[in-house]
Amino acid sequence: MANTNLSMDLSEASSSSGPPAVSGTFEQKSEEYKVRGWPPTPSLPEQQPRTFRVSLVVSWSLWLAYTFFEIVLIRRVEKRNDKFIWRLWAIAFAEMAFALPQFFFSMNTLYASVQPAAHGDRPEYELQEDAAPSIDVFLPTCGEPIDIVMDTVLAIRHLDYPSSQYRAFVLDDGHNEELRKEVEKFASETGRQSGPNIHYLARKVPAGQKSYYKSGNLQFAIDHTASLGDGSEFVASLDTDMIPEKSWLRRLVPHLILNPRAGLACPPQRYYNVPPGDPFGSQAELDVLFQIYEPLDDRLDAAMCTGSGWLARREALKSVGGLPQVDAGDDFMCSSALSNAGWKVVFVGEQLQTGLAPESLQAHLKQRAYWVDSAIWVHRHFDFYVPWSDKCTKMSIDQRIVGWLQVLREYSPLATVVALLVLPLSLLPSSVDDIGTFFTCDERTSYTVMSGVHRFMPLVASVPSSQVAFTK
């Protein structure tokens, strides 16, 4: 096992609560491997931690003050009319519902930023020389275009990692004969050039047995490769369209060999085909997740697997019964299972893979629907992280609270849907007298309350009659 007694530079960099200076290098030798490291590059929240926290508190304090003023004003208007003005309440409800998802996102970031951290931002590492642990790299596919699959295979072939220490497996659930021929041809050429072993695998799912899609395909490969030779110490996986950097494995491996309780390490994802302006918000959404939420959650040892580009200790997966066999959400569920078993899930905030974003609205909606399904599967499986559940008994309180906040984040858009249904009702035509239209105000001031608008507009005017009507 690796020696975890780190040098002074590394210890100070990893335990510091504030952002350390990004300079200098250090070297760490374990019993078998040599690792080079750099102090961490501060994540966005750690670059200006005080400003980050204060801005959250101030912005939401102002929002709560505005909402309180709005409710008080509506009540005063109703009192003067002695009628229930439902249009104004519909607008106020819609405002609060639209803000709810962002409120829970902010609570997640605020909680993670103020809690005592288990560690600071993680140092950057790189495995040195040719001594390296063995790794099986999996590329699950099912019907993707062959050229996309082979681009990723080519990138795996040229990884900067000792070729004798890793094997690559294309896991074809689509049973594409043409893909099989392409992989075998490429493997033959690679073998003649003393490259890594590359294999094509296609499982057969017995009749009447569920396939569990990607998680079933990966678990088949994990079981199958365990009996090939001595079996690898680590396993890794890439999505079909994700091209890894040459240093992908060298950058992830040290996080596992330097910490014997680290069960899985994962990097963020980035797209290389996002059109100008990012109309679907594909990269923008990932940037928020991987530059803010994951680094903050990782400080509390509550990071989640990012789904592609991960590296896992085979022993850790075996200790939790392998990858969870579910139709969606196996990556998130695996993270929670490892955390509950006492393993650490490590978020490595380095750009080590780049892939394809959905290129159509239909593909975008399909991806988002899959993500929502994944989150629901995970939260239900772990009983929504409630204290009395026997499925998360070993999770820390921080991990549970982050889990609860994730549940609220995933389900809060339901309030947005309701708001989108309610808000148009306030714009329906109606006679003025039906909704209680008149109220008395100061002779120098009047308020025109506009249906569908989210605030009252003070107008200074001379109104001798002191009666003002709501506009339709």
Side-chain angles (χ1 to χ4, degrees):
M1 299 301 293
N3 179 5
T4 57
N5 293 322
L6 307 183
S7 66
M8 180 61 69
D9 290 341
L10 174 55
S11 177
E12 292 175 353
S14 61
S15 63
S16 173
S17 58
V22 184
S23 62
T25 62
F26 48 81
E27 290 187 357
Q28 172 62 34
K29 289 186 178 180
S30 69
E31 296 176 1
E32 303 176 53
Y33 312 114
K34 182 179 179 181
V35 173
R36 186 185 182 193
W38 298 262
T41 301
S43 59
L44 287 180
E46 288 296 321
Q47 292 177 16
Q48 296 288 339
R50 182 181 177 84
T51 302
F52 181 78
R53 291 191 290 266
V54 170
S55 64
L56 282 175
V57 172
V58 170
S59 61
W60 282 106
S61 297
L62 291 174
W63 182 86
L64 289 172
Y66 161 75
T67 303
F68 175 77
F69 168 78
E70 183 179 35
I71 292 174
V72 169
L73 191 54
I74 293 174
R75 293 292 297 157
R76 289 185 177 180
V77 171
E78 286 186 327
K79 188 177 294 185
R80 294 198 177 190
N81 284 270
D82 196 25
K83 291 184 178 181
F84 175 70
I85 308 178
W86 64 269
R87 290 175 185 263
L88 298 184
W89 286 113
I91 295 169
F93 169 79
E95 286 183 344
M96 289 183 278
F98 285 137
L100 202 57
Q102 191 59 44
F103 176 78
F104 290 129
F105 272 106
S106 298
M107 291 303 100
N108 189 164
T109 57
L110 186 60
Y111 176 81
S113 65
V114 300
Q115 280 295 100
H119 52 79
D121 286 330
R122 296 186 184 276
E124 299 177 7
Y125 296 121
E126 186 173 69
L127 186 67
Q128 301 291 294
E129 302 178 353
D130 290 334
S134 57
I135 303 174
D136 285 331
V137 179
F138 302 136
L139 184 63
T141 179
C142 186
E144 288 83 1
I146 292 178
D147 58 337
I148 291 179
V149 178
M150 294 309 298
D151 282 347
T152 308
V153 172
L154 181 63
I156 294 173
R157 158 68 178 85
H158 290 286
L159 289 173
D160 178 19
Y161 201 79
S163 59
S164 62
Q165 291 302 101
Y166 78 100
R167 307 176 293 191
F169 297 85
V170 178
L171 313 177
D172 184 17
D173 256 1
H175 296 270
N176 189 322
E177 186 64 20
E178 185 177 351
L179 176 60
R180 181 187 66 80
K181 292 179 181 178
E182 286 289 334
V183 172
E184 291 179 351
K185 177 183 176 182
F186 185 81
S188 177
E189 296 172 354
T190 299
R192 289 196 296 270
Q193 299 170 8
S194 300
N197 290 316
I198 298 176
H199 306 272
Y200 172 90
L201 291 178
R203 60 173 176 153
K204 294 182 179 179
V205 180
Q209 180 176 318
K210 291 193 68 172
S211 68
Y212 292 111
Y213 304 113
K214 180 182 176 181
S215 63
N217 199 3
L218 286 170
Q219 188 58 47
F220 158 77
I222 292 172
D223 294 338
H224 181 78
T225 56
S227 60
L228 296 179
D230 295 332
S232 63
E233 184 177 353
F234 300 105
V235 296
S237 176
L238 287 161
D239 281 354
T240 305
D241 61 332
M242 279 289 169
I243 305 297
E245 295 291 323
K246 292 186 67 175
S247 60
W248 169 49
L249 294 179
R250 284 193 180 273
R251 305 288 282 196
L252 290 185
V253 164
H255 291 276
L256 299 189
I257 63 176
L258 291 176
N259 184 353
R261 293 307 301 167
L264 184 146
C266 50
Q269 298 181 26
R270 190 159 189 85
Y271 299 132
Y272 61 80
N273 66 325
V274 176
D278 193 7
F280 296 142
S282 301
Q283 189 59 57
E285 187 172 356
L286 291 187
D287 287 345
V288 171
L289 175 64
F290 295 136
Q291 295 184 29
I292 297 179
Y293 296 110
E294 277 288 270
L296 285 173
D297 290 346
D298 185 55
R299 294 172 71 249
L300 306 179
D301 285 333
M304 303 294 282
C305 177
T306 56
S308 174
W310 53 262
L311 176 73
R313 195 184 302 272
R314 191 184 283 268
E315 174 193 357
L317 294 179
K318 185 178 180 180
S319 71
V320 296
L323 282 177
Q325 296 301 282
V326 290
D327 292 335
D330 53 284
D331 44 6
F332 285 179
M333 194 174 294
C334 182
S335 303
S336 296
L338 289 172
S339 296
N340 191 50
W343 295 96
K344 305 294 185 183
V345 176
V346 178
F347 175 71
V348 181
E350 302 175 44
Q351 192 55 57
L352 300 176
Q353 58 177 341
T354 312
L356 291 171
E359 296 183 331
S360 67
L361 179 59
Q362 181 181 4
H364 177 80
L365 294 176
K366 183 178 180 181
Q367 182 191 62
R368 293 308 186 272
Y370 177 82
W371 289 355
V372 171
D373 287 343
S374 299
I376 292 174
W377 272 101
V378 175
H379 301 327
R380 290 177 59 186
H381 178 79
F382 286 95
D383 295 334
F384 301 98
Y385 310 99
V386 295
W388 53 86
S389 172
D390 60 355
K391 294 182 179 179
C392 46
T393 54
K394 296 182 180 179
M395 287 187 182
S396 67
I397 185 62
D398 286 334
Q399 291 169 339
R400 287 174 181 270
I401 291 177
V402 169
W404 294 335
L405 291 170
Q406 288 173 347
V407 171
L408 294 172
R409 280 163 44 187
E410 297 297 339
Y411 282 90
S412 60
L414 293 175
T416 304
V417 174
V418 175
L420 289 172
L421 296 176
V422 171
L423 188 58
L425 296 178
S426 64
L427 301 176
L428 292 176
S430 175
S431 66
V432 172
D433 291 336
D434 287 344
I435 60 173
T437 56
F438 297 97
F439 67 96
T440 303
C441 64
D442 183 82
E443 290 187 358
R444 301 288 300 173
T445 307
S446 66
Y447 288 91
T448 300
V449 183
M450 305 177 64
S451 298
V453 180
H454 71 286
R455 67 188 63 180
F456 296 99
M457 301 173 60
L459 302 175
V460 178
S462 297
V463 186
S465 63
S466 72
Q467 282 194 329
V468 182
F470 287 105
T471 60
K472 295 183 182 179

